[in-house]
Amino acid sequence: TIINYAKMGMRHKDAATRDKCFEKILTAGNRAAKITNTVLGIARNRSSGQEPTDLRQLIENTLVLLEREMNKYRVTVDKRFEPIPEAYINGNQVQQVLRNLLINARQAMPRGGRLMIRLSHDVKNNTIDLVVRDYGCGIPPEKLRRIFDSFFTTKDVGQGTGLGLSICYGIVQEHGGNMYAASKPGEGAVFTIEIPVASDRQPVASDA
């Protein structure tokens, strides 16, 4: 895109066309820089263990990486973030779960639509609740019951391995959390993840 607009700007002599090309180049350059900085930030913070993590920033980083795909399929993202404490997680693993849910939600709306992400703090259970909801085709009850089974998939033959949601469920369980799914055909699907807050999961220092 940047190269094409640069060539167009060189071919045209009128100021209006050149200004438009420069604006397109600047927009594309800023987007590329944003993606690069996000990827570098993820790489710097890559860890094999669990640590206090800002889930809001994790979601924002994931959306940057999926921005082009969401725009291509005309999916708008509705973010509803309440004030929350940090979660005690492996950021890379939870980001894989989130990315899987967002891509599944996008695929459930082939003609575009609205995707909602909500973050809230359940004070009573001291968990952070992450909700991903699409308004797509929904999941039939007989398939919903098996949604987290290994090798089970709601997709057509050749379009999925059946490992995605099973692995997501396992990752959430390993973090001491829970994952639920609810859906009605024609009304979309809702996936809810409950993750303990950082204060509940941090190792207790020994007095020895």
Side-chain angles (χ1 to χ4, degrees):
T1 301
I2 294 176
I3 294 174
N4 289 337
Y5 278 111
K7 289 180 179 178
M8 186 183 299
M10 293 176 66
R11 286 198 306 268
H12 294 273
K13 304 302 181 182
D14 62 289
T17 301
R18 285 193 167 190
D19 287 346
K20 182 178 180 180
C21 290
F22 285 140
E23 289 175 4
K24 294 291 185 180
I25 290 171
L26 180 61
T27 299
N30 286 335
R31 181 177 182 278
K34 186 177 180 181
I35 292 174
T36 300
N37 290 334
T38 298
V39 172
L40 289 175
I42 293 172
R44 284 194 298 267
N45 295 326
R46 190 173 297 276
S47 171
S48 59
Q50 298 179 8
E51 58 188 6
T53 303
D54 183 353
L55 272 179
R56 289 168 296 189
Q57 189 59 53
L58 188 74
I59 293 172
E60 295 288 3
N61 290 343
T62 307
L63 290 174
V64 168
L65 299 178
L66 294 176
E67 181 181 10
R68 185 172 183 178
E69 180 171 355
M70 295 299 178
N71 290 338
K72 177 181 178 181
Y73 291 96
R74 303 180 303 281
V75 173
T76 59
V77 179
D78 177 13
K79 295 179 290 186
R80 303 182 183 183
F81 296 169
E82 299 178 10
I84 59 169
E86 290 184 319
Y88 194 67
I89 62 172
N90 179 302
N92 293 306
Q93 291 181 353
V94 173
Q95 188 172 52
Q96 290 176 22
V97 173
L98 178 61
R99 185 174 181 274
N100 189 290
L101 293 179
L102 292 176
I103 291 176
N104 284 349
R106 194 279 297 166
Q107 292 174 342
M109 300 183 290
R111 297 182 180 179
R114 183 166 65 95
L115 188 161
M116 188 268 288
I117 306 173
R118 185 173 72 240
L119 273 177
S120 60
H121 179 204
D122 185 335
V123 178
K124 180 179 179 180
N125 295 313
N126 210 20
T127 60
I128 299 172
D129 295 349
L130 167 60
V131 176
V132 175
R133 174 170 185 170
D134 67 72
Y135 295 84
C137 56
I139 305 170
E142 66 274 11
K143 292 185 177 181
L144 186 63
R145 288 191 292 268
R146 302 180 58 197
I147 200 74
F148 296 122
D149 292 351
S150 298
F151 302 107
F152 179 77
T153 179
T154 61
K155 300 174 183 177
D156 295 334
V157 176
Q159 293 187 357
T161 63
L163 293 174
L165 288 175
S166 173
I167 291 177
C168 290
Y169 184 81
I171 289 174
V172 174
Q173 290 282 305
E174 289 174 0
H175 280 75
N178 290 301
M179 185 173 180
Y180 311 95
S183 179
K184 290 183 179 180
E187 297 184 12
V190 183
F191 286 85
T192 302
I193 299 173
E194 300 173 349
I195 300 177
V197 302
S199 60
D200 268 10
R201 296 285 294 174
Q202 285 178 289
V204 178
S206 172
D207 294 332

